[in-house]
Amino acid sequence: MPTPELLQTWILPALLGLGLAAATGLRTFLPLLLVSAAARFDVFGLDLHEKVAWLEGTPALIALAAATVIELGADKVPILDHGLSLLGTVTRPAAGILAAGSVFVGVDPAVAAIAGLIIGLPTALAFHTAQTGTRLASTATTGGLANPIVSVVEDALAVAMVIIALAAPILVPLGLILLLAAIWRMVRAARARRAAA
C-alpha cells in the first residue's frame, strides 16, 4: 500500500501527467488551455509547480485560448490539417512535457522537468502518431472529406481525457485504453471503407 506522501507526490501526478500528455498528443493547445483554466479558477483543486505558475496568469490564458481557436479551426480545413499535424510532431510532445511536468508540485524543478520529459514526451508522441494514422486513413478513404468529422471526434476525445485526468487521475489508465480503442476503431472503419471502395 503506497504511503499518502508517495501517492500525492508521485503516483497521482504521474497518472495526471500521463492523461494530460495523451490529450496533447491529439491537440497541442486545448489541453494546456484546460489546465490553465482549471488552475486559474481552482477547478478540481489543481495546483501547478511554482516554476510553471505562469500558466495560471491572464496572459497565458488569453494566448492559449487564441492558439486553441486557431488550432481547432485550422484542423477542420483540408490540407491545413496535414500541415498542422506535421507541425504537431514537434509541438505536441513539447506540450506533453510541459503539461506532465507542471503537475509535479512540491518537488525540485529539475525533477519535475525530468518527470515531464519521461512521461510527457513518449505519451504525447505515441498519441500524436496514432492520430496521424487515423487522419491518413481518413484522407485515403474519403479524399479528406471526412477529416473535419474526425477532427471533431479528436477534439471531444482530448477534452474527455483532460477531464478524466483532472477529476480522477486514478482512472487515467482506463481512459487511455478507451482512447486507444476509439482511435483504433476510427482507423479500422477508414480501412474498411477503403477496402469497400
Side-chain angles (χ1 to χ4, degrees):
M1 185 81 173
T3 65
E5 182 182 355
L6 178 65
L7 189 66
Q8 291 298 322
T9 304
W10 297 108
I11 297 173
L12 290 178
L15 291 172
L16 174 55
L18 194 63
L20 295 176
T24 65
L26 300 176
R27 294 290 174 265
T28 302
F29 299 109
L30 178 60
L32 291 176
L33 173 63
L34 295 175
V35 165
S36 176
R40 172 71 184 263
F41 301 110
D42 197 28
V43 179
F44 301 113
L46 180 65
D47 290 322
L48 299 180
H49 194 281
E50 61 185 20
K51 291 295 182 181
V52 291
W54 55 268
L55 272 174
E56 299 178 41
T58 301
L61 199 57
I62 292 169
L64 287 169
T68 298
V69 168
I70 292 168
E71 179 182 31
L72 296 181
D75 199 56
K76 310 298 182 280
V77 179
I79 299 174
L80 282 182
D81 63 340
H82 291 294
L84 198 59
S85 181
L86 184 62
L87 184 62
T89 305
V90 175
T91 61
R92 290 178 181 167
I97 293 167
L98 175 61
S102 72
V103 297
F104 280 88
V105 179
V107 300
D108 182 85
V111 173
I114 291 168
L117 183 67
I118 291 170
I119 293 169
L121 176 67
T123 305
L125 192 56
F127 278 89
H128 172 65
T129 302
Q131 181 261 352
T132 300
T134 302
R135 195 59 64 92
L136 289 174
S138 172
T139 300
T141 56
T142 68
L145 296 176
N147 287 6
I149 296 166
V150 172
S151 179
V152 170
V153 172
E154 292 166 354
D155 296 343
L157 291 173
V159 170
M161 193 67 243
V162 171
I163 291 172
I164 289 169
L166 293 173
I170 203 77
L171 295 179
V172 164
L174 176 62
L176 292 178
I177 291 168
L178 294 174
L179 182 57
L180 285 172
I183 291 170
W184 177 244
R185 288 181 68 140
M186 288 192 299
V187 169
R188 284 185 56 201
R191 286 180 179 165
R193 281 194 299 271
R194 185 176 183 184

